Amino acid sequence: MSSQLKWSIIKRFLSKNSFGFSFQDVVRDFPGKDPSHLARTLTDMVGKGMLSKITRDTYLIIPPQADPETYVPDKFQVAKYIMRNKEYYIGYGSALKIHGLTLLINETTSHSEAGVSEHRDYVVTNNQIKPAIRTFRGITYQFIKHHTTRFFGFERMWINQYEQVMVSDLEKTIVDSVTYPRFCGGIGEVGKALFQSKNRIDQDKLLYYLARHMNKSAKKRFLFLTDLLGLDWTKEHERMMKELGTGISLLDSAGLDQGLINRKFGLKINVELNELKKKVLR
C-alpha cells in the first residue's frame, strides 16, 4: 500500500485540526481514489499503528511519536468522535471534572447488589446508543439517553489547544448531578460541586433549568443541600418548596434505601449528614 497515500490521509485531517475521521470522510476528501482501495489502506494503517479504530468506520490518529501498543488518547476526544454526527454532551461526573468541581480521578458507579465497581465517563445523548456501556483502550463510557425536554444546557469547551467538545454548562451540570448523584460519585461530590461553584454559578439560570428539567427529586436534593450548606435562600427557593409533592426520594441515589425520612424536603436521608458536611466543606 502506498506510504504516500497513508501520510496524505494523516496530513489532510491534521491540517483541519481533526484527530478523528470516518471512512466516508476519507472517500469525500480523496475522490480520485477507489473506495475499496481506501478501505484497504485504512485497515493497513490500523495494523501499522498509525490509526486506532474507534467504531465500525471511525478512526483516531495515533501520534507518530506514540507507542501504538500503550497509547491512551484523551477520553473526551474519543467521545467526540464516537458521537460524530450525533447530538451529545459530556455530562455528570465527567462534566464536574471539566468544570474543576471534583478531585476524583474517575467517577465510580457502584452496583451494590452485584458487588461491582467501575470507573466510567458519561456521555449524554438524545438518542439510544447501543451498547450503552463500551470500553475503548481502557476507557469505559456510559451513554445516557435524555428525553428531548431534558436535552439542553450544553456548550463547546476546549479540551486541548486544538479541539473542543460539547459539555453541559455549569448550571446544567449541577441540575444533572442532583438528578442522578450516582453518576457523579454520590451526593457528597454533588454537594461539594454546589458549594464550590456558589460564586461562579448564575442562580437565575440554575433555577430556570431546575424548573425546565421538571424532576421533583432533583429539586428536593438541590433545596436540601442549599439549606444544609447555608447557601443563599430566596423567595424562588420558597416557591419551589411548595412544588415538591408528597413522594419520598433517596437523598443519595448512589446509596442504600435506608435512613430516616425528612418530611420537609421529601427525602430519605441515607447518608450521615455530619460526614456529608465534612466532605463538602473540607
Side-chain angles (χ1 to χ4, degrees):
M1 303 259 179
S2 168
S3 177
Q4 182 177 353
L5 175 59
K6 294 172 187 173
W7 286 112
S8 293
I9 292 172
I10 297 288
K11 291 176 182 177
R12 177 68 56 87
F13 291 100
L14 287 182
S15 69
K16 303 177 184 180
N17 288 332
S18 179
F19 293 82
F21 53 84
S22 68
F23 172 65
Q24 290 77 15
D25 292 333
V26 177
V27 171
R28 182 196 64 228
D29 279 22
F30 292 85
K33 301 293 183 181
D34 180 69
S36 61
H37 176 62
L38 290 173
R40 291 193 297 272
T41 299
L42 293 175
T43 298
D44 194 49
M45 291 170 74
V46 172
K48 293 185 180 303
M50 301 173 73
L51 300 176
S52 186
K53 196 168 186 177
I54 300 177
T55 65
R56 184 174 58 86
D57 66 349
T58 305
Y59 302 85
L60 188 73
I61 297 170
I62 297 176
Q65 68 274 17
D67 182 344
E69 297 297 322
T70 59
Y71 174 64
V72 178
D74 183 291
K75 57 190 175 183
F76 301 130
Q77 181 188 61
V78 172
K80 171 183 176 178
Y81 290 114
I82 290 176
M83 299 302 293
R84 285 178 64 84
N85 301 320
K86 300 181 180 71
E87 289 193 290
Y88 78 97
Y89 65 84
I90 306 299
Y92 294 96
S94 302
L96 288 180
K97 282 191 296 185
I98 292 174
H99 287 292
L101 294 174
T102 180
L103 297 177
L104 290 180
I105 296 174
N106 284 297
E107 280 60 61
T108 300
T109 298
S110 300
H111 305 274
S112 302
E113 298 83 1
V116 176
S117 179
E118 284 186 354
H119 296 299
R120 296 180 186 170
D121 280 284
Y122 298 99
V123 181
V124 179
T125 175
N126 58 356
N127 289 293
Q128 193 72 46
I129 301 296
K130 294 183 179 181
I133 298 172
R134 63 176 69 174
T135 299
F136 175 79
R137 287 184 172 256
I139 308 166
T140 299
Y141 298 96
Q142 181 165 346
F143 297 90
I144 301 170
K145 180 185 176 182
H146 277 199
H147 188 274
T148 302
T149 57
R150 295 182 180 177
F151 190 73
F152 65 89
F154 47 92
E155 60 189 2
R156 294 185 185 278
M157 293 188 66
W158 292 99
I159 55 168
N160 54 46
Q161 66 184 109
Y162 302 108
E163 288 192 290
Q164 296 174 305
V165 298
M166 303 305 297
V167 183
S168 54
D169 65 26
L170 180 57
E171 292 76 18
K172 187 56 159 57
T173 301
I174 295 296
V175 171
D176 284 348
S177 297
V178 292
T179 305
Y180 294 114
R182 67 180 181 271
F183 296 145
C184 305
I187 198 68
E189 290 299 316
V190 177
K192 187 185 299 183
L194 185 60
F195 188 79
Q196 290 179 348
S197 64
K198 62 182 179 179
N199 295 323
R200 295 167 49 191
I201 208 156
D202 182 329
Q203 284 291 336
D204 289 340
K205 183 192 285 189
L206 175 61
L207 294 173
Y208 166 69
Y209 278 2
L210 279 165
R212 181 176 174 183
H213 199 61
M214 295 187 294
N215 185 290
K216 290 184 178 180
S217 295
K219 292 180 180 179
K220 292 173 184 179
R221 296 185 186 106
F222 168 73
L223 291 168
F224 180 84
L225 289 172
T226 298
D227 180 66
L228 179 71
L229 301 175
L231 302 176
D232 288 344
W233 191 274
T234 68
K235 290 182 179 179
E236 183 64 17
H237 291 75
E238 286 294 338
R239 188 194 64 77
M240 288 173 60
M241 288 291 295
K242 299 175 183 178
E243 302 176 346
L244 298 184
T246 58
I248 303 297
S249 306
L250 288 178
L251 173 59
D252 190 354
S253 63
L256 299 175
D257 187 356
Q258 61 185 23
L260 299 176
I261 292 177
N262 182 311
R263 295 287 178 186
K264 178 180 178 180
F265 291 97
L267 290 169
K268 185 177 286 188
I269 310 303
N270 60 338
V271 299
E272 211 291 310
L273 294 184
N274 287 332
E275 290 301 314
L276 173 59
K277 289 186 73 171
K278 285 181 184 177
K279 181 173 184 178
V280 170
L281 301 175
R282 68 185 176 198

